[in-house]
Amino acid sequence: MAQDPKYELPTYTPTARGLHWLIALLILIQFPIAFYMTYRGYEMPAVNDKGEAVKGVFDGVTGFFYSWHKVIGLTIFFLVLIRLAYRLTRGAPRPDPSVPKPLTGISHLVHWLIYALLIAVPIIGYRGISYGRYLDVFGFSLPAVTEKNEDLSKEVFEWHERAAIVLLLLVSLHIAAAIYHRFFRKDRVVERMLPKRSLDA
Ligand code: HEM
Ligand code: HEM
């Protein structure tokens, strides 16, 4: 656990902060890609080869976004495994003593639920592509981990989407809490996760 010498504010280590912001950035990119690729694939008004109006198109552009979604999703998964291993072995700075205990408890609960979903959502997504054999990523094939079963693939993707929406709600709550701490409660909780130089300002 790092200690800022000037303010004696316990902060997350540079490694913990680096991993936090890298994963946060990827999550914020991943959701718009997920919504756009499925909109393009299933909803977008398009014209097929016969000149008929259809809903949704699975062309190279849609495939490009699907490939990125899989690559980013797997990257998030492996980064979270590293982050969790680091967190479980190195711990976290002690909670800000100015924050009431029940609030600290709720924030810890939300953090651990976010970790759980950051692991579960990619695993469920991978099972979905494995059952459906949608294993292509930029022309390369990921390994299948299940037998082929398209019905199960559809069902698994519904769970993937539901779990991802819960993750999005928790992350929104987490960001709202950061805004509350910084601008309403005016405590120093957010500084614990910011680069050190902002503390010297
Ligand atoms: C934390 C990581 C991930 C997040 C937040 C996420 C989020 C989402 C969301 C919200 C959707 C639903 C979009 C919609 O229907 O409007 C979706 C769909 C999908 N995800 Fe993920 N995902 C993640 C990881 C993965 C991984 C690792 C894979 C596979 C390697 C994957 C494969 C897919 C596929 C193929 C779909 C589209 C399913 C369909 O066409 O019905 N996702 N994802
Ligand atoms: C967008 C995706 C994000 C994810 C998935 C995420 C996830 C997490 C997790 C799991 C923790 C717990 C760290 C630990 O103790 O192990 C955490 C802490 C923290 N996050 Fe995020 N975060 C995200 C975005 C943000 C944003 C945008 C902000 C600020 C505006 C933020 C500010 C913080 C702060 C200040 C802490 C430390 C809280 C404390 O010391 O108790 N996070 N985040």
Side-chain angles (χ1 to χ4, degrees):
M1 169 189 336
Q3 194 86 20
D4 181 78
K6 191 171 170 193
Y7 294 100
E8 294 191 0
L9 177 79
T11 61
Y12 283 86
T13 62
T15 308
R17 279 181 271 144
L19 284 167
H20 173 270
W21 290 114
L22 185 56
I23 294 165
L25 179 73
L26 291 175
I27 282 289
L28 295 178
I29 297 172
Q30 180 75 329
F31 276 99
I33 292 181
F35 294 134
Y36 182 65
M37 72 186 193
T38 45
Y39 164 76
R40 244 193 105 84
Y42 300 111
E43 301 292 336
M44 190 177 75
V47 177
N48 68 12
D49 297 344
K50 297 174 200 147
E52 298 157 345
V54 289
K55 265 176 106 188
V57 50
F58 267 92
D59 60 2
V61 179
T62 309
F64 173 82
F65 284 108
Y66 266 80
S67 287
W68 271 115
H69 183 78
K70 292 174 211 170
V71 169
I72 294 173
L74 289 173
T75 308
I76 291 172
F77 177 69
F78 289 114
L79 285 174
V80 172
L81 288 187
I82 295 170
R83 173 71 184 103
L84 263 180
Y86 187 85
R87 172 69 168 83
L88 293 171
T89 51
R90 300 285 296 268
R94 62 177 160 73
D96 182 330
S98 81
V99 177
K101 283 227 160 55
L103 206 57
T104 302
I106 293 170
S107 83
H108 285 168
L109 177 68
V110 171
H111 292 163
W112 288 109
L113 285 174
I114 290 176
Y115 277 133
L117 286 166
L118 286 173
I119 297 283
V121 169
I123 291 178
I124 302 172
Y126 202 98
R127 290 186 77 78
I129 60 166
S130 180
Y131 280 126
R133 291 294 185 268
Y134 312 120
L135 294 159
D136 178 79
V137 168
F138 298 117
F140 295 95
S141 183
L142 295 168
V145 291
T146 62
E147 75 283 11
K148 186 170 162 39
N149 184 334
E150 278 180 24
D151 290 339
L152 212 49
S153 170
K154 278 201 191 93
E155 202 180 315
V156 167
F157 275 131
E158 277 172 25
W159 282 106
H160 179 62
E161 184 180 358
R162 281 182 202 132
I165 297 299
V166 176
L167 173 62
L168 185 59
L169 290 176
L170 289 173
V171 166
S172 307
L173 183 66
H174 178 68
I175 295 173
I179 293 170
Y180 167 71
H181 280 290
R182 186 83 172 173
F183 299 108
F184 293 91
R185 203 166 180 276
K186 296 193 168 96
D187 56 30
R188 305 186 66 188
V189 166
V190 175
E191 284 175 46
R192 294 148 61 86
M193 203 45 106
L194 292 181
K196 275 274 176 60
R197 77 190 132 78
S198 70
L199 300 177
D200 300 330

